[in-house]
Amino acid sequence: MANFGPKDIKKLREMTDAGMMDCKKALTEADGDMDKAVEWLRDQGMGAAAKKAGKVAAEGAIGIKVEGHKAVIVEINSQTDFVAQNDKFKALMDTVVNHAFENNLADAEAINNSTINGEPFADFLSQQIAIIGEKLVVRRAALIVGDETTAVNGYVHSNAQNGVIIEAKCDSAKTAEAMTPVLKEVAMHAAAMAPSTLSYKDFDPKFVEDETKGRIVAIETENEELRRLGKTEKNVPQYISMSQLTDEVMAAAEEALKAELAAEGKPEKIWDKILPGKLARFISDNTTLDQEQCLLDQKFVMDDSKTVFEYVQEKAKAAGGSAEIVHFVRLEVGEGIEVEEEDFAAEVAKQMA
């Protein structure tokens, strides 16, 4: 005779969120011992997780936590966007984000190798996979920990598909406090505009060289079509990044602009009033890569008369101090994951075999 009853099944189900028949089987296997039944279900959950290991988890969500001078961001992937929107997944996200925040876990490896609620994180996640019913992966994470002169903030888009955490070093705690809401605005900008790096100084020279060649070829090809249609051709850039605008390049550009002013008959005594604007235009025309991919060089979405760098400087000055954005992390769900397209009919046939 079984050493358990309906109340025990109900209790085990509430404890584990496993199915009723699974709970009954677990208690049968454990001869009514609740702890052994939980352990049996955990083992079965791990088995279920193993079956799902071959599935691609490319959907999911981004979660962040910002408090004081500290912020964490986590990406958890699932197999479907439907699962990423359910309450159980959201609860899992909250648990993992808080766990990473409280334990200063700096990346996904640290999270996956940690202990949570007294058990290995891998076992905890396997239980969640069994409960939620899909492969789940804590894929990426990042942590910012500053001091009282560090302004920290973040933003997650309403659909939880991308998020940003960001920090700025300030001259004082007072300035850091004033810059915290400003960084929320910059984080929102970064979420929308998807910069890949902070500054042109971060670019690899080979990347800039290859990108320059590619853009020139693309514009020349486009100009061939514009010529055929009798339309105005686009300017072919000499350069695309501030990293290419050396002192020699800028000196040559200035001499070329002076020659243009002379050819236009502009009096030399007014050149100093005209040249700064022309040089600024030269820089703008030849730094398109920076404007597209570097956070500090992008036009700020809330005031496109300024770059992000200029906006931050203006706000810091208004607060009576100085601030410099030194780091940001932007994560978007599924970035870089290759999802294999599978023939639906073939998949059905495979399941029926």
Side-chain angles (χ1 to χ4, degrees):
M1 188 171 178
N3 294 322
F4 62 89
K7 289 183 178 179
D8 299 305
I9 296 173
K10 182 175 182 290
K11 180 180 178 182
L12 182 59
R13 188 180 185 189
E14 289 172 350
M15 288 171 62
T16 64
D17 213 9
M20 186 175 293
M21 294 307 297
D22 289 333
C23 290
K24 182 178 180 181
K25 187 172 183 181
L27 285 164
T28 300
E29 294 289 333
D31 197 26
D33 187 303
M34 192 65 68
D35 290 338
K36 288 182 179 179
V38 170
E39 186 176 343
W40 187 90
L41 281 171
R42 180 182 302 157
D43 290 341
Q44 296 307 303
M46 292 173 69
K51 291 178 183 178
K52 296 179 177 72
K55 301 292 185 180
V56 176
E59 300 293 340
I62 304 295
I64 70 167
K65 182 173 182 177
V66 180
E67 200 172 279
H69 306 285
K70 184 174 172 182
V72 71
I73 185 168
V74 177
E75 174 189 8
I76 301 180
N77 293 141
S78 60
Q79 290 169 242
T80 65
D81 58 352
F82 177 77
V83 158
Q85 295 169 28
N86 75 36
D87 290 340
K88 291 175 184 176
F89 183 93
K90 292 176 181 177
L92 169 64
M93 175 65 80
D94 288 343
T95 298
V96 174
V97 167
N98 281 308
H99 174 62
F101 187 91
E102 291 164 6
N103 294 281
N104 287 342
L105 302 176
D107 53 34
E109 182 178 5
I111 295 173
N112 287 310
N113 290 327
S114 68
T115 298
I116 182 169
N117 300 329
E119 65 178 336
F121 187 85
D123 291 350
F124 164 77
L125 190 61
S126 291
Q127 293 174 52
Q128 298 302 310
I129 290 171
I131 291 168
I132 292 174
E134 283 193 4
K135 179 180 179 181
L136 305 171
V137 177
V138 178
R139 180 172 176 242
R140 292 182 294 176
L143 174 74
I144 291 173
V145 180
D147 57 25
E148 64 177 7
T149 63
T150 306
V152 175
N153 218 324
Y155 171 76
V156 174
H157 195 58
S158 58
N159 62 5
Q161 292 300 288
N162 67 67
V164 176
I165 56 174
I166 188 167
E167 67 174 311
K169 290 296 183 183
C170 305
D171 66 310
S172 67
K174 179 184 175 184
T175 304
E177 183 179 357
M179 292 304 293
T180 298
V182 175
L183 289 194
K184 177 68 172 287
E185 295 176 338
V186 176
M188 293 173 70
H189 165 99
M193 301 308 292
S196 64
T197 191
L198 182 64
S199 163
Y200 69 87
K201 296 175 183 177
D202 301 325
F203 284 140
D204 181 273
K206 183 66 166 58
F207 167 72
V208 176
E209 179 185 348
D210 292 344
E211 190 71 15
T212 303
K213 292 176 182 176
R215 290 183 182 221
I216 289 174
V217 169
I219 292 174
E220 287 176 342
T221 301
E222 189 175 351
N223 280 345
E224 290 178 8
E225 179 65 10
L226 291 173
R227 277 196 299 273
R228 188 183 70 80
L229 296 173
K231 295 183 177 181
T232 303
E233 296 179 33
K234 293 185 176 180
N235 291 329
V236 179
Q238 293 176 267
Y239 310 102
I240 62 171
S241 174
M242 196 69 193
S243 62
Q244 298 168 304
L245 303 187
T246 62
D247 291 342
E248 291 78 13
V249 168
M250 291 306 297
E254 184 172 348
E255 289 305 313
L257 290 170
K258 286 178 179 178
E260 285 182 14
L261 292 174
E264 292 170 1
K266 295 287 194 300
E268 190 170 345
K269 63 182 180 181
I270 66 168
W271 286 3
D272 61 336
K273 293 181 175 63
I274 302 173
L275 276 172
K278 286 187 171 291
L279 284 170
R281 177 59 186 270
F282 174 83
I283 291 172
S284 179
D285 288 345
N286 288 278
T287 56
T288 54
L289 180 65
D290 303 350
Q291 295 167 40
E292 291 172 12
Q293 297 196 22
C294 301
L295 175 61
L296 296 179
D297 295 301
Q298 290 181 329
K299 296 294 185 183
F300 186 49
V301 292
M302 297 179 188
D303 183 355
D304 61 8
S305 68
K306 304 176 180 69
T307 64
V308 170
F309 173 82
E310 291 167 341
Y311 182 75
V312 169
Q313 294 299 302
E314 178 184 276
K315 290 295 184 179
K317 185 177 180 181
S322 62
E324 177 188 5
I325 294 178
V326 294
H327 181 56
F328 81 99
V329 178
R330 181 186 186 276
L331 299 182
E332 186 162 344
V333 170
E335 285 175 304
I337 297 177
E338 292 187 12
V339 180
E340 182 180 348
E341 294 293 335
E342 189 163 8
D343 181 80
F344 180 72
E347 174 65 13
V348 171
K350 185 169 67 175
Q351 295 296 327
M352 296 296 289

